Every structure is written in structure tokens, then in C-alpha cells.
Amino acid sequence: MTVDLAVDLGFLKLRNPVLAASGTFGYGTEFAPFLDLSSLGGIVVKGLYYGPREGNPPPRLVETASGLLNAIGLQGIGVEAFAAEILPELRRRGAEVWVNVCGEDEDEYLRVISFLDGLDGIAAYELNISCPNVRRNGLCPALRPDWTYDLVRAAKERSRRPLVAKLSPNVTDIVEIARAAERAGADGLSLVNTFLAMAVDPETRRPRLGNVFGGLSGPAIKPIALRMVYQAASAVRVPVIGMGGIMSGRDAVEFLIAGARAVEVGTANFVDPAAAARIVREIEAFCREKGIARVSDLVGTITI
Amino acid sequence: MPYAVKIPIVRKQSWGDYHLFRFQAPEMAAAARPGQFVMIRPGESTAPLLRRPISIHGRDRGALEIFFQVAGEGTALLARRKAGDTFDVLGPLGRGFDLDAPLDGKTACLLGGGRGIAPLYFLALELADRGALVKVLYGGRTADDLPVRDRFEEAGLELACSTDDGSFGFPGLVTGLLETEIPVRRPDFLFVCGPDPMMKAAAGLASRFRIPAQISLESVMGCGFGACWGCVRRIKRAGAEAWRKICEDGPVFPAEDIVWEGWK
């Protein structure tokens, strides 16, 4: 039995529902020794500001119970170096490229989009309105519906490409934020970004991260991510891309059943650099085992 | 080119908290260079979640050796593996030591502190192979922290030891031993791996005596191959400071490029 792995996001058709999550997949080229980049539904490259960015002082990583706490601070090379050094190689390798778009302020988000709009070989933008590690106390636009609406609307008006808003889980009501993004014209939503968290060293009585706070990812967050993906997918009509602690095909299937049209694989890429490709195969095996002809038939099939 | 393999441990040796594993991995062994490392999954489950970076200690035809000290939960779990157990290894990773300079007839001093000795055995053999005169200085807190000292001697490499408590060899820090060694040996090159304060002191001596030195840094790592940007240190190149990845730009850096303070 052949399984049809393609999924239709409305604004874009994916060869399969597995994307590599921004911030966990470098610029994509780092993974070329380990997997065929063209075998994934897409890769969302590390968040880009307009120029190079310095990032946070170390320590930037702390491992927690089945989780990873990071405070990288979006260190990166900026759009010009991405266009010159990275994008041509990704295109040569047949990757479906999404760019995670960052900005210090609205103006910078729009400048990044305008620059990228001038390049060929990008499928979509993921608007990063939810990084917890770049402003004090984890502040980001995705914490409030009005900020979310204003930024998504401005970005959507500027962009010639589909735009997915990446939402933060650090909110009281994810539905309110999801609806604001949809109302502002987002073509889709991706969630969840990392949970604002911290770790303390009892010996030194100091925070373990240089940035004090960081973002928690990995299997530890999966149940909360699933709940939020379910809530958001139930409340909006645009497609939802689910993520948070996906380590296996079965984990991915849980998100699809909860309502996600596609998934992003994040922290798993560090542990197993071939994880995203493995998860595609495991989803396929799951469908075959259950006699499911099209992976899209799983989406939103949860029975309450 | 790194390889990901699941292979059995063919030999294990242990000395208290210190462990040496040997495994057959012909492609990985052929690609390995001194100063490179591998990323190893400590267990099968998600706790601990991440791989652990471990130095490549030696190479013998198609086999590789790693040497590590239990430093936390992950390495403790790894240390419980026995010969015959399969483990999951990714490597070789990192840039390793720069051995482009002519080495024939040159004197190289290798300075290892504690588990920092790990990459220096592989390096010492490679340097000796290329005609360098190698002197290894190996320091530990006590005599028990010098478990692989016999290996150097068995390989015919010249070795001097130091212990902080004076229980074996030179009493004091290994950098103290280096200070006595420099006027006698006049080394052309220094290669250093150990705890941060020791490496900083060694960098100070290298600068004072104008000896080119390479230092191998250690860090917690998320991936080991440049994707997570989690293992950075402050590095100065061409006058400009930046956070550079230990896994990809290092782990070995020229001593003069490492910014030791002023950024914390």
C-alpha cells in the first residue's frame, strides 16, 4: 500500500507534513551530511534579522528533565550573507526553504521581508513574533493580540509570499492570539515556540543561563504544546503547523490528529541529525500499518 | 565528513571516574584528526536528552578510542556501558589541532590537565610521527587523576607529571611544571587542554615566552555540528570579537584569539 504523504496548506503544497523547525536546523546546510534536505516537507532556516546579530553571552544551553533550555539570542548572519552564501546551496540541494523572519521593530521585519522578496527560491515566511530570548523578561509581540495583529498585518501587506505567524505559548489564552493573527491576514499559524523558563544552580545560587531566562523545548513540553495546537486549530480556519517536543513519527501523528496540518521537528534534530527524515518514514509506516491512504486524512480526527 | 553509527564497545577500561572505550569504526577512524571529538548518546531514552561531546583519545587502524571523566548525569550513564554494549556515536566533529606548520625536528610541549589529557594522546603520536620532539606534561589533583600516564610511556613518549597534592611527580599545578620546563626545552609549540583556569594560565605563559600555543576548549553542546549555536566562546579575530562556536570553529583555537575575561 502506498501512502500519500502530501499535504495542502492552501497557500502551499508540501511533499510531506514534516518541516525542520527554525533555530534547531541551523541554515540547513549543516544537516546535508546526515539527510537529504529535499526529502523533507520543508526547512525553516534560523531566524534572520537584517544584519548580523551578536547573540547572548554563554552559558546558552542547559539540559533539563527531557528538555532543553536555550538562550541563544538569535545570533546570526543576516539576510545578505544568507542570500550570498546559504540560499544557493539550499536550492541546489532541492530544499523547500522557509525563512524565519525577525526584527527589532516593525521597520526591521519589513526590511527583511522586502529583501527576501527580491530573492528566488523561498517558499514562505515564518514571522518570528515569539522568541523569548531577545528582550527583557521574554517580551515579544506574540504575547498580546493587538501587537500580534499590528505586526502580522504590516508584514502581510508588505510580503509577496505566504506568511505564517509563529506563536508563543507564554500566554493566558492562545485562542485570542491565534484569532488576532488570522484576522490580520496570516496564511497560517505555527506553534508553539519555546516556554519561558529558567534553571538555578544551587551551589552558586545563580541562574544557569547567561541570559537568566531561556526557552524550554523538547519532549518535556509536548503535552502542553499539543493542548495549545488543539485549541488554536479548533478556533481558526487557516492551517496550523504544530510543534513542541516531537521526537518520533508517533509524536508527529498526535499533533496531526489534534488538528495540525503539518508539523515542525525541533530539538530532536540535535539528538539525531537525521530525525526529520526518520520521522517522515515513521509517519508513513504508521499510516500503512493503520490502512490510512493519505496522511491528510489524519488531520483533526481527534474524537472528544 | 561526520558519520553516525551504532556500534559495540569492543574494550572498556576504567579507573574510578575515568573511562576509556574502544570501538571499531573504520570510516570514522580514517577521517579523524587529533583534537576532534565525537557526540555520544548517553542512553536510549529522552533523559538525558542530548548527546555528550567526548574527545577522540586515540586511533589504532580502524578503531577509535575515547577517554572521559564522569562529570554529570550523562557521562555517569555512559560510564555504566560495558564492553559488548552498543552505543550511538556521531563524528568526527570539529576542526582539531592545526598541524600545518613544519614539525620535523621541532619541540612540542603538550599540556594536559585532568580529563584534558584526552585529545593529547592522539596528538602526541601524530606529532611524533611527523618528526617532532614531544614532551607531555600531565597534571591532576592527585595521582589517581593521572590514569593514562602509562600509555604515553608505553608509546615511547616523554612524559612528566604533576599533582596538586604532591602525591606523584612535580608538586603543584601543571602550569608550574611548564614554567620550569620552558627555559630548559625552549618549545617551539604548545598544545593545551584542561580546566579553564589552567588553560588561561598556560595562555599567559605562551604569550610571555612568545610560544605559539593552541588551546582545546570544552563546552556543553547541543548538537556538536554547528546548528544550535549553543557552545560559543568569546574569540578575537582580525581585531574583532565575536561569539564563535566551539564545535565548528574549534574546539581548538590559537591561544591569542581566546578572550578570557571582560565579557561575563
Side-chain angles (χ1 to χ4, degrees):
Chain A
M1 172 188 166
T2 54
V3 178
D4 181 4
L5 289 172
V7 295
D8 189 352
L9 298 178
F11 60 88
L12 186 69
K13 286 191 171 61
L14 306 180
R15 53 180 77 104
N16 64 60
V18 179
L19 299 116
S22 181
T24 66
F25 209 68
Y27 296 111
T29 51
E30 297 88 338
F31 286 80
F34 307 111
L35 51 73
D36 173 5
L37 296 176
S38 74
S39 72
L40 305 181
I43 64 172
V44 191
V45 298
K46 186 172 170 57
L48 287 176
Y49 285 83
Y50 196 86
R53 194 177 161 95
E54 161 110 305
N56 290 328
R60 289 177 169 186
L61 297 176
V62 179
E63 188 172 332
T64 61
S66 291
L68 173 62
L69 191 49
N70 90 80
I72 309 297
L74 284 165
Q75 182 173 355
I77 59 174
V79 291
E80 286 172 10
F82 173 74
E85 294 157 26
I86 307 289
L87 188 57
E89 187 181 342
L90 293 178
R91 295 188 68 188
R92 199 162 55 242
R93 292 183 180 278
E96 183 88 325
V97 180
W98 295 37
V99 175
N100 181 278
V101 172
C102 302
E104 270 297 313
D105 50 27
E106 183 179 303
D107 178 62
E108 187 174 8
Y109 279 101
L110 300 184
R111 280 191 296 133
V112 170
I113 289 171
S114 293
F115 183 92
L116 296 173
D117 268 350
L119 305 173
D120 291 329
I122 297 170
Y125 303 133
E126 182 178 64
L127 195 68
N128 187 352
I129 57 175
S130 50
C131 180
N133 291 328
V134 288
R135 289 184 190 82
R136 267 186 88 76
N137 299 319
L139 208 62
C140 62
L143 296 189
R144 281 180 44 172
D146 52 343
W147 295 346
T148 298
Y149 179 88
D150 290 347
L151 187 53
V152 171
R153 172 145 198 146
K156 180 63 191 166
E157 275 171 8
R158 176 67 59 98
S159 170
R160 74 171 173 100
R161 293 203 167 100
L163 184 93
V164 169
K166 185 168 183 178
L167 305 188
S168 168
N170 303 307
V171 295
T172 309
D173 181 7
I174 192 69
V175 166
E176 179 185 45
I177 310 289
R179 286 189 173 138
E182 181 183 47
R183 221 170 34 244
D187 297 292
L189 310 176
S190 61
L191 66 153
V192 296
N193 206 320
T194 56
F195 286 80
L196 189 65
M198 71 186 290
V200 174
D201 183 341
E203 301 295 330
T204 62
R205 304 190 187 186
R206 291 178 52 79
R208 287 190 190 271
L209 287 172
N211 191 50
V212 185
F213 294 163
L216 183 64
S217 65
I221 69 164
K222 198 188 83 180
I224 325 180
L226 260 175
R227 183 265 296 174
M228 298 184 113
V229 166
Y230 170 71
Q231 286 180 304
S234 306
V236 298
R237 301 174 67 90
V238 293
V240 168
I241 299 167
M243 78 192 94
I246 294 175
M247 304 294 284
S248 69
R250 289 184 77 89
D251 290 340
V253 164
E254 291 175 26
F255 278 85
L256 299 176
I257 291 169
R261 206 83 65 88
V263 297
E264 290 183 20
V265 172
T267 303
N269 298 315
F270 298 152
V271 182
D272 171 9
R278 168 176 56 78
I279 287 167
V280 174
R281 293 193 302 274
E282 289 173 354
I283 293 172
E284 187 178 12
F286 177 90
C287 291
R288 194 176 301 120
E289 188 192 319
K290 306 288 179 195
I292 296 161
R294 289 177 311 212
V295 72
S296 55
D297 289 346
L298 282 168
V299 173
T301 54
I302 191 163
T303 314
I304 303 288
Chain B
M1 171 80 185
Y3 301 88
V5 291
K6 286 183 185 171
I7 38 176
I9 299 160
V10 294
R11 201 179 77 201
K12 177 185 179 185
Q13 283 175 275
S14 301
W15 307 262
D17 275 352
Y18 297 93
H19 305 273
L20 192 154
F21 290 173
R22 184 186 171 95
F23 52 96
Q24 287 294 134
E27 287 179 316
M28 203 182 283
R33 299 287 173 267
Q36 289 189 299
F37 63 97
V38 293
M39 293 292 285
I40 302 181
R41 274 189 88 168
E44 298 286 324
S45 80
T46 60
L49 181 63
L50 299 174
R51 291 170 183 269
R52 297 299 191 265
I54 312 273
S55 281
I56 296 173
H57 179 60
R59 170 172 61 182
D60 182 9
R61 292 175 293 273
L64 279 180
E65 289 170 335
I66 54 164
F67 175 75
F68 66 98
Q69 180 186 19
V70 173
E73 199 191 342
T75 41
L77 196 61
L78 190 59
R80 291 209 284 274
R81 301 291 183 91
K82 298 183 289 290
D85 290 354
T86 294
F87 71 158
D88 183 339
V89 187
L90 183 68
L93 299 164
R95 296 170 59 91
F97 293 100
D98 178 355
L99 303 179
D100 285 347
L103 294 162
D104 196 27
K106 302 285 187 182
T107 302
C109 236
L110 280 54
L111 197 65
R115 64 175 177 259
I117 198 69
L120 301 185
Y121 181 66
F122 189 8
L123 175 66
L125 292 175
E126 179 83 19
L127 289 170
D129 244 22
R130 298 200 193 187
L133 308 168
V134 178
K135 174 83 186 254
V136 180
L137 309 180
Y138 184 8
R141 288 189 312 270
T142 73
D144 291 340
D145 295 300
L146 306 170
V148 290
R149 61 177 195 255
D150 296 346
R151 305 198 87 205
F152 289 90
E153 282 164 349
E154 283 158 16
L157 295 159
E158 203 185 338
L159 175 81
C161 293
S162 71
T163 50
D164 300 358
D165 71 351
S167 57
F168 189 86
F170 175 88
L173 300 173
V174 72
T175 44
L177 179 57
L178 175 64
E179 226 172 327
T180 68
E181 200 72 21
I182 287 173
V184 186
R185 287 281 158 167
R186 309 235 162 240
D188 298 297
F189 302 104
L190 291 179
F191 298 92
V192 185
C193 185
D196 250 42
M198 170 246 176
M199 294 195 288
K200 185 182 167 196
L205 288 171
S207 158
R208 198 167 104 210
F209 291 98
R210 297 173 188 281
I211 308 166
Q214 296 182 39
I215 291 186
S216 180
L217 297 175
E218 185 184 62
S219 173
V220 166
M221 290 182 187
C223 63
F225 51 92
C228 75
W229 300 59
C231 63
V232 297
R233 282 287 287 262
R234 201 72 176 157
I235 300 294
K236 185 175 60 199
R237 273 196 198 150
E241 284 186 18
W243 301 117
R244 287 191 178 271
K245 294 177 259 186
I246 291 179
C247 70
E248 193 182 53
D249 295 326
V252 180
F253 293 92
E256 67 270 20
D257 289 3
I258 301 170
V259 182
W260 294 98
E261 52 204 6
W263 48 265
K264 278 188 175 166

